[in-house]
């Protein structure tokens, strides 16, 4: 645990220093072309006993708990920002990668470790299971605001959001086979489908309950709605895990449902969860950095073994698993190669590697160190070259237009009104029209227009351009009318011009 030399005041100061370090690291990671998780981990190593010696931390159980909590927050935030229309088109291939692909990767890496090292067959397969899945935290962070082709981004995000259950199932099952005599592999198979099924069902149910509650419950402060969303995220994981389902899958599915529903205080909820997810990432990777001892990690045997297994994972196992998982699924060779390269490893394998330590398995520390080295290699080599590889393979999409501005309406709940954000594009029916010519429902008014990150005060002669962010103030009771009006306009435009409309 943390050194007893630290009192409460010192602990709070240390926490502040770690957060400061994490924030500045996040700022410069993209400029340096290095994934943020690598730098967060290095911060942890720097503060650890083999670094500056400020903190001594060796409690794998605590690290495991913090890691699971952080992964729930990160998965929830990633699911909130995922558009269902985009994911639906890649649902089948993503699930194939998340199940069959993870199984194939785990088997191939496990057999390679069995041939290379002195692990038993079950220990080798356990290692393969731990590194078999891609990591949601690493993938979401790597793809955020990068102009990767939409199909590729959606496939990778959906895979990383849904493949944790397979990796967790394989890891726990193999630990049970190692520690418990007489355990049958065939008995474990139905358990996997039960976990997946419960995760999806409970995620959908609690996601709908959360959306309904956020919209119907009138709270005294708007700041409570983001907290309510986090409470539902944690409750979804807890309830799903309690009944024997996959808590991670339940959280991701619930977030998909919530994020694609009409929400009161939508942007406050999204902004809060984005900030909370960053804090969770910083905390998780710094703690994992504290847990590892660089003197052991960068020893010659660990580095050699880790490098060999990284090559097997990145160059052989992952590509074979991707190509076999995506047979006859309308992906080109270039797209499959890119998906293979962008299968980042991150927090999930490191957190899973703490399970054997907690269980007291033989060779668990060596396994943890090798897993850690493989994750560092994957994040550093693959994570820093995703944009370059996408550009070389011509899989770059349109630049993501992410608004870096916000407009808040004070006492929105008491006023029974909401500020709706509507982004136009080249195919929007309202583009090219002046505001006085657009027929909005009664009690719906455009309060501001953001164009090229500048605020434009709207008046009757203002013309709407593609890419504008329209902020429309509307009473709650007229919100559905406004939505229907916008959708009708888009549909009429599609019928007339055979084009797609803007999104709302």
């Amino acid at each position: 645990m943390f050194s007893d030399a630290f009192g409460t005041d010192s602990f709070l100061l240390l926490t502040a220093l770690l957060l400061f370090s994490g924030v500045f690291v996040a700022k410069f990671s993209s400029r340096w072309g290095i994934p943020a998780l690598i730098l967060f981990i290095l911060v942890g190593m720097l503060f650890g006993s083999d670094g500056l010696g400020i903190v001594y931390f060796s409690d794998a159980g605590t690290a495991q708990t913090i890691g699971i909590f952080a992964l729930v927050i990160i998965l929830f935030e990633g699911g909130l920002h995922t558009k269902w229309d985009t994911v639906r088109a890649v649902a089948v291939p993503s699930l194939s990668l998340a199940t069959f692909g993870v199984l194939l990767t785990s088997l191939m890496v496990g057999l390679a470790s069995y041939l290379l090292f002195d692990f038993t067959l079950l220990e080798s397969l356990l290692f393969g299971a731990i590194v078999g899945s891609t990591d949601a935290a690493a993938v979401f962070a790597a793809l955020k605001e990068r102009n990767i082709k939409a199909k590729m981004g959606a496939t990778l995000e959906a895979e990383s959001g849904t493949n944790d259950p397979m990796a967790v199932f394989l890891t726990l099952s193999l630990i049970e086979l190692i520690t418990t005599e007489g355990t049958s592999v065939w008995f474990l198979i139905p358990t996997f489908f039960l976990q997946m099924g419960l995760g999806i069902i409970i995620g959908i149910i609690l996601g709908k309950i959360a959306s309904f509650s956020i919209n119907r419950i009138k709270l005294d402060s708007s700041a409570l709605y983001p907290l309510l969303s986090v409470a539902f995220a944690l409750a979804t994981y807890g309830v799903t895990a309690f009944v024997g389902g996959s808590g991670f899958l339940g959280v991701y599915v619930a977030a998909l449902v919530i994020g694609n529903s009409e929400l009161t205080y939508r942007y406050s909820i999204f902004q809060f969860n984005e900030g909370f997810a960053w804090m969770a990432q910083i905390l998780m990777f710094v703690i994992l950095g504290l847990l590892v001892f660089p003197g052991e990690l960068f020893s010659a045997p660990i580095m050699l073994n880790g490098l060999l297994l990284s090559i097997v994972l990145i160059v052989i196992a992952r590509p074979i698993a991707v190509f076999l998982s995506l047979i006859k699924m309308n992906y080109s060779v270039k797209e499959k190669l890119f998906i293979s390269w962008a299968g980042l490893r991150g927090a999930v394998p490191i957190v899973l590697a703490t399970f054997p330590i907690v269980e007291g398995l033989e060779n668990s520390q060596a396994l943890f160190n090798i897993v850690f080295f493989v994750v560092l290699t994957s994040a550093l080599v693959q994570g820093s070259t995703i944009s370059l590889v996408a550009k070389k393979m011509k899989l770059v999409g349109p630049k993501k237009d992410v608004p870096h501005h916000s407009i808040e309406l004070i006492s929105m709940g008491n006023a029974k009104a909401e500020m709706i954000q509507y982004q136009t594009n080249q195919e929007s029916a309202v583009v090219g029209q002046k505001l006085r010519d657009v027929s909005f429902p009664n009690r719906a008014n455009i309060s501001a227009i953001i164009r090229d990150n500048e605020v434009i005060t709207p008046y009757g002669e203002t013309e709407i351009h593609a890419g504008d962010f329209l902020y429309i103030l509307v009473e709650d009771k007229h919100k559905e009318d406004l939505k229907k009006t916008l959708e009708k306009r888009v549909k009429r435009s599609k019928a007339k011009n055979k084009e797609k409309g803007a999104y709302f």
Side-chain angles (χ1 to χ4, degrees):
M1 285 299 292
F2 296 106
S3 174
D4 293 335
F6 284 94
T8 301
D9 296 341
S10 300
F11 174 77
L12 292 177
L13 177 60
L14 176 62
T15 302
L17 290 175
L18 291 175
L19 289 176
F20 274 128
S21 302
V23 169
F24 287 116
V25 157
K27 176 175 177 59
F28 291 107
S29 64
S30 58
R31 182 179 301 178
W32 296 338
I34 301 175
L37 71 90
I38 292 287
L39 299 178
F40 294 154
I41 288 173
L42 291 178
V43 168
M45 290 182 178
L46 179 65
F47 279 81
S49 57
D50 277 6
L52 298 176
I54 297 174
V55 180
Y56 177 81
F57 181 75
S58 60
D59 190 336
T62 300
Q64 184 183 111
T65 301
I66 293 173
I68 291 174
F69 175 84
L71 287 172
V72 168
I73 301 302
I74 294 165
L75 274 172
F76 186 69
E77 191 268 339
L80 286 178
H81 286 86
T82 302
K83 299 292 183 182
W84 171 242
D85 289 340
T86 306
V87 171
R88 181 169 52 191
V90 297
V92 173
S94 297
L95 286 174
S96 179
L97 289 168
T99 52
F100 184 60
V102 171
L103 180 61
L104 285 178
T105 303
S106 301
L107 287 174
M108 285 184 281
V109 174
L111 291 175
S113 63
Y114 180 67
L115 295 174
L116 291 171
F117 313 124
D118 293 330
F119 292 156
T120 66
L121 179 60
L122 285 179
E123 288 174 341
S124 300
L125 292 175
L126 176 60
F127 175 84
I130 289 172
V131 299
S133 70
T134 59
D135 181 65
V139 171
F140 290 160
L143 298 182
K144 186 170 290 185
E145 297 188 19
R146 295 191 183 183
N147 53 332
I148 306 298
K149 192 175 179 182
K151 180 182 177 183
M152 297 296 94
T155 303
L156 290 166
E157 289 183 358
E159 177 200 5
S160 64
T162 56
N163 67 5
D164 293 344
M166 187 64 166
V168 172
F169 168 77
L170 291 174
T171 299
L172 296 180
S173 297
L174 284 164
I175 289 176
E176 185 173 350
L177 288 172
I178 293 172
T179 58
T180 307
E181 294 183 4
T183 303
S184 171
V185 176
W186 303 110
F187 176 77
L188 297 173
I189 294 176
T191 305
F192 169 71
F193 290 101
L194 177 64
Q195 290 180 357
M196 293 285 285
L198 288 174
I200 293 172
I201 293 171
I202 296 175
I204 292 174
I205 293 172
L206 290 184
K208 289 185 177 296
I209 293 174
S211 302
F212 178 84
S213 301
I214 291 170
N215 289 328
R216 300 301 180 194
I217 297 176
K218 298 298 181 183
L219 299 175
D220 293 335
S221 172
S222 60
L224 294 174
Y225 288 93
L227 293 178
L228 182 62
S229 69
V230 172
F232 271 107
L234 297 175
T236 300
Y237 179 87
V239 170
T240 308
F242 180 77
V243 299
S246 170
F248 290 129
L249 181 59
V251 168
Y252 185 71
V253 171
L256 274 176
V257 174
I258 296 170
N260 287 274
S261 302
E262 291 297 328
L263 294 177
T264 303
Y265 299 102
R266 180 182 186 86
Y267 300 103
S268 296
I269 292 172
F270 276 44
Q271 288 172 351
F272 175 86
N273 278 282
E274 184 176 5
F276 198 18
W278 270 110
M279 189 178 74
Q281 283 192 66
I282 294 171
L283 176 65
M284 174 176 61
F285 286 119
V286 168
I287 289 294
L288 294 176
L290 289 171
L291 185 64
V292 71
F293 293 91
E296 297 178 4
L297 178 66
F298 296 114
S299 63
I302 296 297
M303 292 177 66
L304 178 61
N305 294 342
L307 187 59
L308 288 173
L309 286 175
S310 295
I311 293 172
V312 171
L313 172 63
I314 297 171
V315 180
I316 301 174
R318 170 69 177 177
I320 291 176
V322 168
F323 273 76
L324 291 178
S325 299
L326 298 180
I327 291 176
K328 297 182 179 180
M329 290 193 186
N330 197 28
Y331 284 79
S332 67
V333 173
K334 285 185 177 181
E335 290 173 336
K336 292 177 183 177
L337 287 173
F338 178 75
I339 292 172
S340 301
W341 187 255
L344 303 181
R345 269 58 189 174
V348 171
I350 299 176
V351 172
L352 289 180
T354 63
F355 282 79
I357 297 177
V358 174
E359 292 293 330
L361 297 188
E362 188 178 359
N363 297 321
S364 59
Q365 189 60 51
L367 187 147
F368 176 85
N369 289 330
I370 296 174
V371 168
F372 208 106
F373 190 86
V374 169
V375 168
L376 289 179
T377 305
S378 171
L380 187 59
V381 175
Q382 295 172 278
S384 60
T385 57
I386 284 182
S387 295
L388 177 63
V389 172
K391 188 179 296 184
K392 292 291 184 181
M393 293 185 175
K394 298 181 179 180
L395 295 175
V396 177
K399 185 178 180 180
K400 292 183 180 180
D401 194 1
V402 181
H404 296 285
H405 45 75
S406 62
I407 296 179
E408 298 291 341
L409 183 62
I410 300 174
S411 300
M412 188 184 298
N414 295 331
K416 297 182 179 180
E418 186 168 347
M419 190 73 78
I420 298 296
Q421 177 183 277
Y422 176 80
Q423 185 185 17
T424 63
N425 57 43
Q426 292 286 357
E427 301 161 348
S428 301
V430 295
V431 168
Q433 294 191 46
K434 296 181 178 179
L435 292 185
R436 59 179 171 78
D437 297 326
V438 181
S439 299
F440 287 110
N442 292 331
R443 308 289 185 178
N445 298 292
I446 294 182
S447 300
I449 298 176
I450 306 295
R451 182 178 299 158
D452 297 327
N453 286 328
E454 293 184 1
V455 180
I456 296 175
T457 303
Y459 62 99
E461 294 298 316
T462 302
E463 184 177 301
I464 300 174
H465 293 184
D468 284 352
F469 287 90
L470 310 181
Y471 285 84
I472 308 169
L473 180 61
V474 58
E475 291 185 2
D476 288 346
K477 61 183 178 181
H478 295 294
K479 188 169 66 173
E480 287 300 317
D481 292 336
L482 173 63
K483 181 181 176 183
K484 290 177 182 178
T485 299
L486 291 171
E487 289 178 344
K488 285 180 181 178
R489 283 182 170 277
V490 170
K491 290 178 181 178
R492 286 201 298 271
S493 175
K494 288 168 67 177
K496 182 178 179 179
N497 302 318
K498 296 182 180 180
E499 295 179 334
K500 295 182 180 179
Y503 59 85
F504 176 65

